Each structure stands twice: as C-alpha cells, then as structure tokens.
Amino acid sequence: MAQAPDLAGAAARTRSGRAPARWLVLAAVAGIGLNLRPFLTAVGPLAPTIRAGTGLTYQGMAWLTLLPMLLMGVGAFFGPALRARLGARNAVLGALALLGAGCALRLGVADGGGLIASAALCGLGVAVVQAAFPGLVKQEFPGRVAPVMGLYSAALMGGGALGAQLSPYVTALSGSWREALALWALPALAALALGWVALPRTHRKDRLPDQAAARSPSAGATRALLRRPRTWLLMGGFGVMNGGYASLVAWLAPFYQGHGWSASASGALVAMMAVAQAGAALLLPALAARRVDRRAWMMLALAMQATGFAGLALWPDAAPYAWAVIGGAGLGGCFALYLVVALDHLPDPDSAGALSALMQGGGFLLAALAPWLTAMLQAHTGGFAAGWWYHLGCAALVAGLTLRLNPAGYVAAYAAASAESSAVGIGRLQ
C-alpha cells in the first residue's frame, strides 16, 4: 500500500537550511516598501517647474498620479495569477526592475507625454508588488501579520516622504527636474538586489502536485471572491479612503505654492505628511494587534483624516503642518489597517493574498479618480478648498463602511464561497 504523502515533511524540506534569516526578510519588506511611492510624491513639489518644462496643465499633471494608480488597480487583479505562475519572489523582483526602468527613463523625457508614459511604467511595477506582497507576508509571518504589514506600510509612506523632501533639493543642485525624478531608479535597483538575496525561494521540486493545485489561485476562485459583498465593501472603503492620499500627494504642494510657499518648503510639508503616515502605519497596526476587532483604531484614523481636510478647507494658513500631520497620520494608519483587515478575513496565505489583491485592485481604480476630480473642482472654483471638502465627505462615507467590518462576521462573509472555491483551487475560504 502506498504511504500517505508527508506534507509537513515536504514543507520542512522546502525551508530547511535555505530560508533567509528573519531580519533579512524584514529588511527586504522595508526596502521594497520604501520604493513604492517616491515616483509619485516627487512630482507635486516640482509641479510649476514640470509644467513650465512640459506645457502640462493641472489636468495634465493629474495624469501623473491618476494613470499609475489606475494601473495599480488593474494590475492588482492579475497579481494572484502572476504569483501562481511565477511565484511571489519572481513577480516582485521583475516588478522592481520595471519600476527602476520607469524612473530611469525620466532622465530623457522630452515632453509631458513621455513623462506620463514613464509614470505608467512605474505604476505597473508597483501594481505587481502590491498585489503579490501581502500574501508573501502572511506566508512568511503567519503569526505576525499586523506588525509586519505595519512595517511595510510605514516604509511605503516613508519612501513617499523622501521623494517629496529630496526631489526639490536635487533639482536645485543639478538644475534639472528630470535628474531629480530619475534619481529614484537607484534605490529601486538596491531593493532589487536586496530582494534577490532575502526573499524566500519556492522550491517546486519539493511541492507535491496536490499542494500546487490547492495553492494556485484561479480565475474561478477570483470570481468566487468577487461574488461576495464583503469583497466589494473592502474595495470601496480602501479606494475612497486612498483617494485622499492621492489628492494630497498631487495637490498639497501646489496648493501651498499658491499661498506663496517655495518648492522646497511645500515639499517639506508633503514630507512631513508622509512621515506622519509612516509613523501611524507602523504604530496603529501594532496597537490594533491586541484585539481581533480593529474598527476602533480605524475610526480614530478616519477622524484624523476628517480633521486634516477640514483644517485645509477652513484655516489653511493657521496651522499647515498640523493639518498635514494629522491628516497624513489618519491616511497612513487607515491604509495599513485595511491591509491587515483584508488578510484577517481568510486563514490561507494564498486566499488572503488574493482578497488583498482584489481590494487593492478595485480600491486603486477608485482612488485614481480623486486627483482628477480635485483638479476639475479647482478649475471650476479657482481653488482647492472644494476638493478638501469632497475628501472630508469621503472620510465620513468610509467610516460608515468600516463600522460593518465586524470580525464576528468574517467567517460568514466567505462561508458560501468556501465550498465553491475548493473546487476551483483557491484553498480554504472560511
């Protein structure tokens, strides 16, 4: 009689003696996250210079944020399939190479169209990373998802701070905004090298056929998730909330430049906002890890967002750093907590990663519209205050959606999809 396959032994052989040290994997989590936002945040403080050099209008400049975020949304839907076909490690490494190439191409852009195309290339790279990485984190740190996702989110926001702060200074030193934007190819290549060394390898020869089938998300499995109302609720909350981040990245610096601030001063303001985002993204998931129900911390983060946008709309010159820091902390904390809550819903790393990818996919499609809508409101009203009021309303809407994320309903939210998904190979959805 044939013996039953030793699944635990196969898993142990896959990792024994070859797994990178935990601190090295954590360094890769931080290093990769650090590269996912500078290509976006570097643009806002340089907006007048870029507009002068390319002839782009405010609506044209909005495409430098809108198009990458649209691609982040579309690309996220293909993340589970890429992860299944290539493995999370190979998908992330290829995406980092794409991101570095997009940044490097900015050195030679001649017009606005070329700059927007480079933004699209960067957005594609970031889309793949954001889709593949949460599942990898749950796989490698199953008992520490909240703090590790907090580290990833904090690094992501911290990279945004560096992009906003350093790009005006590099422009002043080099005399070229193109060099300031292309500079971010270097840390992307450094993250690629770190990821090559640190990210765990999948040893296909040690994976049994039934394991491979069970752990490979399929189109049918994705459809099963999309049939669940909870998936759409997560998409909506994540997307509407992230629209506030997209608009602040695109328009906070130009808003204060309209109040007489210099490029370096407005860039420092965006950097302060991003630092606050990073701190909250690291702190709030760690605090929320003490309880399965994360909603109280999410509501606190949304209240901070509302305070920041109200301050920008009503009293922009009274305390600009306070509004940027309070609003940024709310956005960063809520971003990280939504990633954690999506992973909380499902126990299997591949299933949870697929849900996270769908949430980010639909979410970023929604978020991408926010900078364009804010630019349109600016064109019709002559200022950005209407845009800040719009995002204050969005924070209230997301609060209503967030209240429905009761962990007591996680099992029920995907129970009907469990039996169906087992037939199409997504693993356990319970």
Side-chain angles (χ1 to χ4, degrees), residues 84-100:
R85 181 173 294 273
L86 303 176
R89 180 180 187 274
N90 292 337
V92 169
L93 293 179
L96 287 171
L98 199 62
L99 174 59

mmCIF file with all atom_site columns, all heavy atoms in Angstrom, residues 84-100:
data_model
loop_
_atom_site.group_PDB
_atom_site.id
_atom_site.type_symbol
_atom_site.label_atom_id
_atom_site.label_alt_id
_atom_site.label_comp_id
_atom_site.label_asym_id
_atom_site.label_entity_id
_atom_site.label_seq_id
_atom_site.pdbx_PDB_ins_code
_atom_site.Cartn_x
_atom_site.Cartn_y
_atom_site.Cartn_z
_atom_site.occupancy
_atom_site.B_iso_or_equiv
_atom_site.pdbx_formal_charge
_atom_site.auth_seq_id
_atom_site.auth_comp_id
_atom_site.auth_asym_id
_atom_site.auth_atom_id
_atom_site.pdbx_PDB_model_num
ATOM 1   N N   . ALA A 1 84  ? 0.885  32.907 -8.835  1.00 0.00 ? 84  ALA A N   1
ATOM 2   C CA  . ALA A 1 84  ? 0.756  31.466 -9.033  1.00 0.00 ? 84  ALA A CA  1
ATOM 3   C C   . ALA A 1 84  ? 1.685  30.970 -10.137 1.00 0.00 ? 84  ALA A C   1
ATOM 4   O O   . ALA A 1 84  ? 2.276  29.902 -10.035 1.00 0.00 ? 84  ALA A O   1
ATOM 5   C CB  . ALA A 1 84  ? -0.696 31.119 -9.364  1.00 0.00 ? 84  ALA A CB  1
ATOM 6   N N   . ARG A 1 85  ? 1.836  31.775 -11.195 1.00 0.00 ? 85  ARG A N   1
ATOM 7   C CA  . ARG A 1 85  ? 2.637  31.334 -12.336 1.00 0.00 ? 85  ARG A CA  1
ATOM 8   C C   . ARG A 1 85  ? 4.133  31.507 -12.103 1.00 0.00 ? 85  ARG A C   1
ATOM 9   O O   . ARG A 1 85  ? 4.940  30.628 -12.425 1.00 0.00 ? 85  ARG A O   1
ATOM 10  C CB  . ARG A 1 85  ? 2.213  32.096 -13.594 1.00 0.00 ? 85  ARG A CB  1
ATOM 11  C CG  . ARG A 1 85  ? 2.966  31.685 -14.856 1.00 0.00 ? 85  ARG A CG  1
ATOM 12  C CD  . ARG A 1 85  ? 2.380  32.363 -16.077 1.00 0.00 ? 85  ARG A CD  1
ATOM 13  N NE  . ARG A 1 85  ? 1.026  31.897 -16.335 1.00 0.00 ? 85  ARG A NE  1
ATOM 14  C CZ  . ARG A 1 85  ? 0.750  30.815 -17.062 1.00 0.00 ? 85  ARG A CZ  1
ATOM 15  N NH1 . ARG A 1 85  ? 1.715  30.083 -17.582 1.00 0.00 ? 85  ARG A NH1 1
ATOM 16  N NH2 . ARG A 1 85  ? -0.503 30.462 -17.275 1.00 0.00 ? 85  ARG A NH2 1
ATOM 17  N N   . LEU A 1 86  ? 4.512  32.666 -11.546 1.00 0.00 ? 86  LEU A N   1
ATOM 18  C CA  . LEU A 1 86  ? 5.928  32.993 -11.389 1.00 0.00 ? 86  LEU A CA  1
ATOM 19  C C   . LEU A 1 86  ? 6.460  32.744 -9.986  1.00 0.00 ? 86  LEU A C   1
ATOM 20  O O   . LEU A 1 86  ? 7.674  32.612 -9.801  1.00 0.00 ? 86  LEU A O   1
ATOM 21  C CB  . LEU A 1 86  ? 6.165  34.468 -11.749 1.00 0.00 ? 86  LEU A CB  1
ATOM 22  C CG  . LEU A 1 86  ? 5.750  34.920 -13.143 1.00 0.00 ? 86  LEU A CG  1
ATOM 23  C CD1 . LEU A 1 86  ? 5.976  36.421 -13.291 1.00 0.00 ? 86  LEU A CD1 1
ATOM 24  C CD2 . LEU A 1 86  ? 6.522  34.149 -14.209 1.00 0.00 ? 86  LEU A CD2 1
ATOM 25  N N   . GLY A 1 87  ? 5.558  32.714 -8.998  1.00 0.00 ? 87  GLY A N   1
ATOM 26  C CA  . GLY A 1 87  ? 5.983  32.736 -7.606  1.00 0.00 ? 87  GLY A CA  1
ATOM 27  C C   . GLY A 1 87  ? 6.091  34.172 -7.132  1.00 0.00 ? 87  GLY A C   1
ATOM 28  O O   . GLY A 1 87  ? 6.420  35.079 -7.908  1.00 0.00 ? 87  GLY A O   1
ATOM 29  N N   . ALA A 1 88  ? 5.808  34.408 -5.849  1.00 0.00 ? 88  ALA A N   1
ATOM 30  C CA  . ALA A 1 88  ? 5.822  35.770 -5.316  1.00 0.00 ? 88  ALA A CA  1
ATOM 31  C C   . ALA A 1 88  ? 7.192  36.406 -5.476  1.00 0.00 ? 88  ALA A C   1
ATOM 32  O O   . ALA A 1 88  ? 7.317  37.584 -5.822  1.00 0.00 ? 88  ALA A O   1
ATOM 33  C CB  . ALA A 1 88  ? 5.400  35.757 -3.849  1.00 0.00 ? 88  ALA A CB  1
ATOM 34  N N   . ARG A 1 89  ? 8.248  35.635 -5.244  1.00 0.00 ? 89  ARG A N   1
ATOM 35  C CA  . ARG A 1 89  ? 9.604  36.185 -5.324  1.00 0.00 ? 89  ARG A CA  1
ATOM 36  C C   . ARG A 1 89  ? 9.906  36.713 -6.718  1.00 0.00 ? 89  ARG A C   1
ATOM 37  O O   . ARG A 1 89  ? 10.351 37.859 -6.889  1.00 0.00 ? 89  ARG A O   1
ATOM 38  C CB  . ARG A 1 89  ? 10.615 35.110 -4.928  1.00 0.00 ? 89  ARG A CB  1
ATOM 39  C CG  . ARG A 1 89  ? 12.073 35.573 -4.979  1.00 0.00 ? 89  ARG A CG  1
ATOM 40  C CD  . ARG A 1 89  ? 12.996 34.419 -4.573  1.00 0.00 ? 89  ARG A CD  1
ATOM 41  N NE  . ARG A 1 89  ? 14.359 34.871 -4.449  1.00 0.00 ? 89  ARG A NE  1
ATOM 42  C CZ  . ARG A 1 89  ? 15.225 34.952 -5.447  1.00 0.00 ? 89  ARG A CZ  1
ATOM 43  N NH1 . ARG A 1 89  ? 14.826 34.608 -6.673  1.00 0.00 ? 89  ARG A NH1 1
ATOM 44  N NH2 . ARG A 1 89  ? 16.465 35.368 -5.249  1.00 0.00 ? 89  ARG A NH2 1
ATOM 45  N N   . ASN A 1 90  ? 9.684  35.895 -7.739  1.00 0.00 ? 90  ASN A N   1
ATOM 46  C CA  . ASN A 1 90  ? 9.998  36.309 -9.107  1.00 0.00 ? 90  ASN A CA  1
ATOM 47  C C   . ASN A 1 90  ? 9.121  37.472 -9.562  1.00 0.00 ? 90  ASN A C   1
ATOM 48  O O   . ASN A 1 90  ? 9.579  38.369 -10.274 1.00 0.00 ? 90  ASN A O   1
ATOM 49  C CB  . ASN A 1 90  ? 9.840  35.126 -10.060 1.00 0.00 ? 90  ASN A CB  1
ATOM 50  C CG  . ASN A 1 90  ? 10.889 34.058 -9.839  1.00 0.00 ? 90  ASN A CG  1
ATOM 51  O OD1 . ASN A 1 90  ? 11.962 34.334 -9.312  1.00 0.00 ? 90  ASN A OD1 1
ATOM 52  N ND2 . ASN A 1 90  ? 10.589 32.835 -10.218 1.00 0.00 ? 90  ASN A ND2 1
ATOM 53  N N   . ALA A 1 91  ? 7.852  37.452 -9.149  1.00 0.00 ? 91  ALA A N   1
ATOM 54  C CA  . ALA A 1 91  ? 6.949  38.548 -9.527  1.00 0.00 ? 91  ALA A CA  1
ATOM 55  C C   . ALA A 1 91  ? 7.433  39.859 -8.930  1.00 0.00 ? 91  ALA A C   1
ATOM 56  O O   . ALA A 1 91  ? 7.459  40.899 -9.617  1.00 0.00 ? 91  ALA A O   1
ATOM 57  C CB  . ALA A 1 91  ? 5.528  38.240 -9.061  1.00 0.00 ? 91  ALA A CB  1
ATOM 58  N N   . VAL A 1 92  ? 7.829  39.846 -7.667  1.00 0.00 ? 92  VAL A N   1
ATOM 59  C CA  . VAL A 1 92  ? 8.283  41.074 -7.011  1.00 0.00 ? 92  VAL A CA  1
ATOM 60  C C   . VAL A 1 92  ? 9.598  41.564 -7.618  1.00 0.00 ? 92  VAL A C   1
ATOM 61  O O   . VAL A 1 92  ? 9.771  42.764 -7.873  1.00 0.00 ? 92  VAL A O   1
ATOM 62  C CB  . VAL A 1 92  ? 8.425  40.847 -5.493  1.00 0.00 ? 92  VAL A CB  1
ATOM 63  C CG1 . VAL A 1 92  ? 9.147  42.016 -4.831  1.00 0.00 ? 92  VAL A CG1 1
ATOM 64  C CG2 . VAL A 1 92  ? 7.054  40.655 -4.857  1.00 0.00 ? 92  VAL A CG2 1
ATOM 65  N N   . LEU A 1 93  ? 10.523 40.659 -7.883  1.00 0.00 ? 93  LEU A N   1
ATOM 66  C CA  . LEU A 1 93  ? 11.807 41.069 -8.463  1.00 0.00 ? 93  LEU A CA  1
ATOM 67  C C   . LEU A 1 93  ? 11.626 41.666 -9.858  1.00 0.00 ? 93  LEU A C   1
ATOM 68  O O   . LEU A 1 93  ? 12.223 42.686 -10.203 1.00 0.00 ? 93  LEU A O   1
ATOM 69  C CB  . LEU A 1 93  ? 12.759 39.877 -8.518  1.00 0.00 ? 93  LEU A CB  1
ATOM 70  C CG  . LEU A 1 93  ? 13.226 39.327 -7.169  1.00 0.00 ? 93  LEU A CG  1
ATOM 71  C CD1 . LEU A 1 93  ? 14.149 38.127 -7.375  1.00 0.00 ? 93  LEU A CD1 1
ATOM 72  C CD2 . LEU A 1 93  ? 13.926 40.386 -6.339  1.00 0.00 ? 93  LEU A CD2 1
ATOM 73  N N   . GLY A 1 94  ? 10.784 41.028 -10.683 1.00 0.00 ? 94  GLY A N   1
ATOM 74  C CA  . GLY A 1 94  ? 10.518 41.584 -12.008 1.00 0.00 ? 94  GLY A CA  1
ATOM 75  C C   . GLY A 1 94  ? 9.860  42.948 -11.933 1.00 0.00 ? 94  GLY A C   1
ATOM 76  O O   . GLY A 1 94  ? 10.167 43.859 -12.717 1.00 0.00 ? 94  GLY A O   1
ATOM 77  N N   . ALA A 1 95  ? 8.953  43.111 -10.976 1.00 0.00 ? 95  ALA A N   1
ATOM 78  C CA  . ALA A 1 95  ? 8.269  44.397 -10.820 1.00 0.00 ? 95  ALA A CA  1
ATOM 79  C C   . ALA A 1 95  ? 9.235  45.493 -10.387 1.00 0.00 ? 95  ALA A C   1
ATOM 80  O O   . ALA A 1 95  ? 9.134  46.641 -10.835 1.00 0.00 ? 95  ALA A O   1
ATOM 81  C CB  . ALA A 1 95  ? 7.137  44.255 -9.811  1.00 0.00 ? 95  ALA A CB  1
ATOM 82  N N   . LEU A 1 96  ? 10.176 45.173 -9.509  1.00 0.00 ? 96  LEU A N   1
ATOM 83  C CA  . LEU A 1 96  ? 11.164 46.170 -9.091  1.00 0.00 ? 96  LEU A CA  1
ATOM 84  C C   . LEU A 1 96  ? 12.042 46.603 -10.265 1.00 0.00 ? 96  LEU A C   1
ATOM 85  O O   . LEU A 1 96  ? 12.408 47.780 -10.381 1.00 0.00 ? 96  LEU A O   1
ATOM 86  C CB  . LEU A 1 96  ? 12.034 45.609 -7.960  1.00 0.00 ? 96  LEU A CB  1
ATOM 87  C CG  . LEU A 1 96  ? 11.354 45.490 -6.597  1.00 0.00 ? 96  LEU A CG  1
ATOM 88  C CD1 . LEU A 1 96  ? 12.246 44.715 -5.625  1.00 0.00 ? 96  LEU A CD1 1
ATOM 89  C CD2 . LEU A 1 96  ? 11.031 46.869 -6.025  1.00 0.00 ? 96  LEU A CD2 1
ATOM 90  N N   . ALA A 1 97  ? 12.377 45.651 -11.142 1.00 0.00 ? 97  ALA A N   1
ATOM 91  C CA  . ALA A 1 97  ? 13.142 46.010 -12.336 1.00 0.00 ? 97  ALA A CA  1
ATOM 92  C C   . ALA A 1 97  ? 12.337 46.961 -13.224 1.00 0.00 ? 97  ALA A C   1
ATOM 93  O O   . ALA A 1 97  ? 12.879 47.924 -13.784 1.00 0.00 ? 97  ALA A O   1
ATOM 94  C CB  . ALA A 1 97  ? 13.523 44.745 -13.106 1.00 0.00 ? 97  ALA A CB  1
ATOM 95  N N   . LEU A 1 98  ? 11.044 46.713 -13.350 1.00 0.00 ? 98  LEU A N   1
ATOM 96  C CA  . LEU A 1 98  ? 10.174 47.579 -14.152 1.00 0.00 ? 98  LEU A CA  1
ATOM 97  C C   . LEU A 1 98  ? 10.088 48.976 -13.534 1.00 0.00 ? 98  LEU A C   1
ATOM 98  O O   . LEU A 1 98  ? 10.152 49.991 -14.246 1.00 0.00 ? 98  LEU A O   1
ATOM 99  C CB  . LEU A 1 98  ? 8.787  46.946 -14.234 1.00 0.00 ? 98  LEU A CB  1
ATOM 100 C CG  . LEU A 1 98  ? 7.851  47.405 -15.349 1.00 0.00 ? 98  LEU A CG  1
ATOM 101 C CD1 . LEU A 1 98  ? 8.436  47.096 -16.710 1.00 0.00 ? 98  LEU A CD1 1
ATOM 102 C CD2 . LEU A 1 98  ? 6.494  46.731 -15.187 1.00 0.00 ? 98  LEU A CD2 1
ATOM 103 N N   . LEU A 1 99  ? 9.953  49.038 -12.218 1.00 0.00 ? 99  LEU A N   1
ATOM 104 C CA  . LEU A 1 99  ? 9.890  50.323 -11.524 1.00 0.00 ? 99  LEU A CA  1
ATOM 105 C C   . LEU A 1 99  ? 11.183 51.110 -11.719 1.00 0.00 ? 99  LEU A C   1
ATOM 106 O O   . LEU A 1 99  ? 11.159 52.317 -12.005 1.00 0.00 ? 99  LEU A O   1
ATOM 107 C CB  . LEU A 1 99  ? 9.629  50.080 -10.039 1.00 0.00 ? 99  LEU A CB  1
ATOM 108 C CG  . LEU A 1 99  ? 9.668  51.291 -9.109  1.00 0.00 ? 99  LEU A CG  1
ATOM 109 C CD1 . LEU A 1 99  ? 8.636  52.334 -9.515  1.00 0.00 ? 99  LEU A CD1 1
ATOM 110 C CD2 . LEU A 1 99  ? 9.440  50.857 -7.661  1.00 0.00 ? 99  LEU A CD2 1
ATOM 111 N N   . GLY A 1 100 ? 12.323 50.441 -11.571 1.00 0.00 ? 100 GLY A N   1
ATOM 112 C CA  . GLY A 1 100 ? 13.598 51.121 -11.783 1.00 0.00 ? 100 GLY A CA  1
ATOM 113 C C   . GLY A 1 100 ? 13.749 51.634 -13.201 1.00 0.00 ? 100 GLY A C   1
ATOM 114 O O   . GLY A 1 100 ? 14.256 52.749 -13.425 1.00 0.00 ? 100 GLY A O   1
#
